[in-house]
Amino acid sequence: MDVTAESLQRRTFAIISHPDAGKTTLTEKFLLYSGAVQVAGAVHAREGRRSARSDWMELEQQRGISISSTVLQFPYVVHGGVEYTMNLLDTPGHRDFSEDTYRVLSAVDAVVMVLDAAKGIEAQTLKLFQVCRSRNLPVITFLNKYDRPGRDPLELLDEIEQQITLRPTPVTWPVGSGDEFSGLINRRTQRYTAYTRTARGASEALEVESDIQSAFAAADTGTRRVWKTAMDEIGLLDAVGADLDLPSFLAGESTPLFIGSALTNFGVRKLLDAVVEFAPPPSARVDRDGAPRALESPFSAFVFKVQANMDPSHRDRIAFARICSGHFERGMSVTNARTGRDMTTKYATTAFGPDRETVDDAYPGDVVGLVNATGVLLGDTLYEAGAAGSAVSYPPIPRFAPEVFARARPLDNAKFKQFRKGLEQLDEEGVVQVLRDPDMGDVENVLAAVGQLQFEVFAYRLGSEFGAPTEIVSAPYQAIRLTDKQSADRLRQIGGIRILTRGDGELVALFENRYRLQRLMSDEPELTLEPIIADATVL
C-alpha cells in the first residue's frame, strides 16, 4: 500500500473546551453524522436516556462529565464520495484532568475548540489553548449553543483575538440568536441554511439551503430585523478582511470559526466537513535529535495513553499508540526504544470508546490499541523490529507539577494484593502519580495529582475494578521538587521534608511548607531541587 496516499486520507484531531461548553455532545454528533451511531446519546442524561458514547466509564455516566480521554475512530464520507478515516480524541474538560488532555494533544494534528456562546473564553479553555500553541496545533473554533441566549458574536470575536491572539475568520455567521435564531449564512458559498430543531437532537438536522438574497427577501416581519443585523455584520467582516486564510490557520495565527448548536445538531455537518477540508493530514514527526522522520520510513509510533479495564469482562490493559511512520500490520514484531525489548502485536485493535475491533492494517495518523502490551509505558516509542525496521526515539511526554497530595490505604487488609496491583496499574496510566518510600513500599505511599477529582476516580477504580475499597486521606505537603541521591541525603536531615521515589525511578522531595523550600533554595543553592515541568511548557 502507498503509505503517503493512505495518510492523506487521515485526520487526527482532538476537541477541547471548558467543562459544560458542549464538547462531549459535539463528539456524539460527529459520530451521528458519520453514520457511526444511528441515534445520538444525550450527555446530561435524564432517566431513560443514553449516556454519551465517549463517556465509557461508569463514573462518567453517573456524573455526566468526561474524566478520561477517549479514542474514537470512524469513517466519514464527504460530498463526492471520498472516504476519510477520522481519529477523534475526546478529551476531559474538567480542570482536574488537564494532564490527561495534555498527553492527548501530543498525538493530534489539529484541534476543534468549543466555546459556549454565552460565556466565551473560560479559564480552562485558555489553559488548554496555551498547550495547543506550544505544539503549533491549528485550531478550528465552534461557537456552540446558539439556539440559546448568548453574547454578541462580534464581541466574542474580539475576545478570541485579545485573549488567545488568534484572528477569527468566520466561515458561518448567525442570523439571530436564542429564540430568534433563524439560521446560518455561509460566507464562502453565499448560501443560507435555515435553522431546524430535531427532537432531542437524536437525528440529523434537516438542512434546507437557499441563496442569501432570496432568504433575506422572504424573511417575515418578525425576522427581518435580525436579518438586517446579520447582513450589516457580514458587511463589516468583509470590510476588515476577516476571511478564511489557510496558510495563517496552519501557522496557528488565525482560526476558522463556525457557529451552531451541537445539542440540536445544527451546524455540525459543516464543522465536520471543515475538519476534513482544513485540518492537515499527518506529517513527518521530529525525533529526539530534532530530525523529521518521513511518513514512508519503516513503522514507528509513540504511546500517549495507557488504560486498563475499558472492558470490565476482560480486565485487560491497552496501550494507545499514534502511528508516526510506515505501515502497521497486526502481528508484526516491534521494539520498545526505552527497553530495547521486542514484542508482538497480535492483539491490536481500533477503538470506539469501550468497543474495539481487530485492526489488520494502519497508517500514519491512525491510533491503534495494543492489548496487554507488557512493559509498555506512557511516552514509549515503538518501531519495527529486525532488519526491516529503523530505530527511532521520539521526545518523551512530560509529567506535570502536582498540586494536591494524599495517602491511600485499603479498607480491608485482606485485599492488599489487589490494592498493590491497582496502585501499580493506575500509576502507569497516569491517573495519579504514586510516590513510594523505597524502604516501606506501597504501605507508606503518597499520591500526587493536579486536582482533587483525580483522587476520587483513583479510589473509585481501585474499588470497582480491582476489588480493593480504599480510603483517601489528605497529606500535608505543599510543594514537590525533583532531586538526586546526594541532595536527598542532606534533605533527610532536615525536618518537614519527605524523600520518595516516583514510578519512573526519579527521586522527589515533598515539602510541608513552601517557605521552607524557598529558604532552603536560598541558603543551600548547591542542592538539586528542580521544579517539575509546568502545564504551559512545550511538550
Side-chain angles (χ1 to χ4, degrees):
M1 298 291 288
D2 186 334
V3 170
T4 302
E6 288 289 338
S7 65
L8 287 173
Q9 302 304 114
R10 265 71 182 167
R11 296 294 182 270
T12 307
F13 66 104
I15 302 180
I16 64 169
S17 78
H18 191 280
D20 301 324
K23 172 183 57 60
T24 304
T25 304
L26 182 62
T27 300
E28 282 286 284
K29 301 315 172 66
F30 277 176
L31 302 181
L32 175 68
Y33 275 87
S34 72
V37 297
Q38 299 305 310
V39 179
V43 203
H44 24 265
R46 297 175 186 164
E47 188 159 353
R49 292 168 71 174
R50 293 170 175 78
S51 58
R53 186 76 199 166
S54 55
D55 290 342
W56 56 270
M57 197 186 296
E58 184 182 351
L59 183 61
E60 293 178 305
Q61 296 174 7
Q62 293 171 4
R63 294 281 192 97
I65 58 172
S66 297
I67 55 178
S68 173
S69 58
T70 307
V71 180
L72 300 160
Q73 186 183 77
F74 56 92
Y76 181 60
V77 179
V78 297
H79 301 297
V82 180
E83 181 174 298
Y84 287 80
T85 298
M86 312 296 280
N87 293 286
L88 167 57
L89 280 61
D90 179 37
T91 62
H94 197 284
R95 64 182 178 82
D96 286 6
F97 286 85
S98 52
E99 186 168 354
D100 196 24
T101 302
Y102 300 146
R103 289 193 285 260
V104 165
L105 291 178
S106 69
V108 301
D109 301 314
V111 163
V112 172
M113 178 173 66
V114 182
L115 301 180
D116 185 322
K119 298 175 181 176
I121 302 284
E122 297 178 82
Q124 184 66 6
T125 317
L126 188 59
K127 197 173 185 182
L128 295 173
F129 175 74
Q130 290 169 348
V131 182
C132 294
R133 168 145 286 165
S134 73
R135 297 197 57 80
N136 295 317
L137 289 170
V139 175
I140 297 172
T141 300
F142 183 64
L143 293 184
N144 192 23
K145 303 184 182 181
Y146 243 86
D147 57 326
R148 305 178 187 179
R151 291 165 57 187
D152 181 275
L154 291 176
E155 179 186 322
L156 289 169
L157 297 194
D158 287 341
E159 182 170 286
I160 292 170
E161 188 154 18
Q162 289 170 11
Q163 291 205 24
I164 61 178
T165 61
L166 264 185
R167 182 170 55 87
T169 56
V171 176
T172 61
W173 195 253
V175 177
S177 65
D179 292 339
E180 295 183 315
F181 185 44
S182 301
L184 293 173
I185 293 172
N186 188 323
R187 296 180 60 224
R188 295 177 76 205
T189 63
Q190 294 297 299
R191 302 283 290 175
Y192 169 74
T193 305
Y195 172 61
T196 55
R197 182 184 292 271
T198 59
R200 289 184 175 177
S203 59
E204 296 182 18
L206 181 66
E207 296 175 344
V208 180
E209 286 195 358
S210 59
D211 68 83
I212 297 175
Q213 295 306 324
S214 298
F216 188 14
D220 58 32
T221 307
T223 58
R224 187 163 291 277
R225 178 182 55 81
V226 293
W227 258 102
K228 179 68 168 59
T229 300
M231 296 298 281
D232 290 344
E233 290 169 340
I234 284 180
L236 181 60
L237 294 173
D238 292 342
V240 299
D243 302 324
L244 175 70
D245 180 50
L246 283 180
S248 67
F249 159 66
L250 296 173
E253 297 166 357
S254 69
T255 175
L257 184 136
F258 292 80
I259 285 167
S261 164
L263 188 63
T264 62
N265 303 341
F266 194 67
V268 171
R269 186 190 300 279
K270 287 182 173 59
L271 179 63
L272 191 52
D273 286 342
V275 172
V276 170
E277 185 179 356
F278 303 158
S283 58
R285 200 168 192 92
V286 174
D287 64 18
R288 275 180 187 259
D289 299 324
R293 184 174 175 92
L295 296 175
E296 303 82 8
S297 301
F299 167 79
S300 69
F302 79 94
V303 177
F304 67 91
K305 179 177 176 65
V306 175
Q307 182 75 56
N309 303 325
M310 288 186 76
D311 184 346
S313 62
H314 286 87
R315 298 292 180 190
D316 52 12
R317 174 182 184 274
I318 300 182
F320 289 101
R322 149 78 190 236
I323 298 178
C324 302
S325 66
H327 175 203
F328 172 83
E329 297 176 271
R330 183 169 65 90
M332 72 188 302
S333 184
V334 300
T335 301
N336 186 328
R338 178 178 55 84
T339 64
R341 294 177 181 172
D342 291 352
M343 55 177 275
T344 60
T345 57
K346 180 180 178 182
Y347 302 107
T349 70
T350 58
F352 188 68
D355 299 337
R356 37 195 116 131
E357 184 178 317
T358 299
V359 60
D360 293 315
D361 297 272
Y363 297 89
D366 285 339
V367 173
V368 294
L370 303 176
V371 182
N372 294 332
T374 306
V376 175
L377 301 178
L378 281 170
D380 279 356
T381 297
L382 308 175
Y383 59 87
E384 186 172 357
S390 171
V392 65
S393 183
Y394 294 109
I397 302 172
R399 298 224 177 191
F400 296 89
E403 298 176 16
V404 290
F405 303 89
R407 292 190 179 97
R409 67 177 185 85
L411 292 174
D412 181 355
N413 285 329
K415 302 285 188 179
F416 192 79
K417 183 177 179 181
Q418 294 94 317
F419 173 78
R420 175 178 287 169
K421 181 180 179 183
L423 275 187
E424 181 179 348
Q425 178 58 54
L426 298 179
D427 185 22
E428 286 183 1
E429 289 184 26
V431 174
V432 297
Q433 295 181 33
V434 179
L435 312 176
R436 297 174 174 87
D437 187 322
D439 300 322
M440 302 291 288
D442 289 325
V443 178
E444 285 294 318
N445 63 76
V446 173
L447 310 180
V450 173
Q452 195 68 34
L453 184 58
Q454 287 179 257
F455 295 146
E456 293 183 40
V457 173
F458 182 80
Y460 173 84
R461 292 188 61 189
L462 274 173
S464 67
E465 297 176 18
F466 297 92
T470 299
E471 180 183 32
I472 304 293
V473 181
S474 179
Y477 305 110
Q478 295 183 355
I480 184 171
R481 289 292 186 272
L482 292 172
T483 188
D484 56 24
K485 187 179 184 307
Q486 184 177 352
S487 299
D489 292 339
R490 165 63 183 140
L491 293 170
R492 286 189 180 97
Q493 301 170 7
I494 306 170
I497 303 173
R498 186 96 181 271
I499 304 300
L500 299 173
T501 304
R502 205 166 63 177
D504 57 2
E506 293 278 1
L507 284 176
V508 297
L510 293 179
F511 292 81
E512 293 182 4
N513 187 300
R514 289 183 184 275
Y515 175 74
R516 172 66 61 86
L517 169 61
Q518 295 167 357
R519 183 67 182 270
L520 193 61
M521 292 173 66
S522 174
D523 292 349
E524 302 186 44
E526 72 279 3
L527 293 176
T528 299
L529 292 168
E530 299 178 4
I532 295 175
I533 296 172
D535 50 21
T537 303
V538 178
L539 296 183

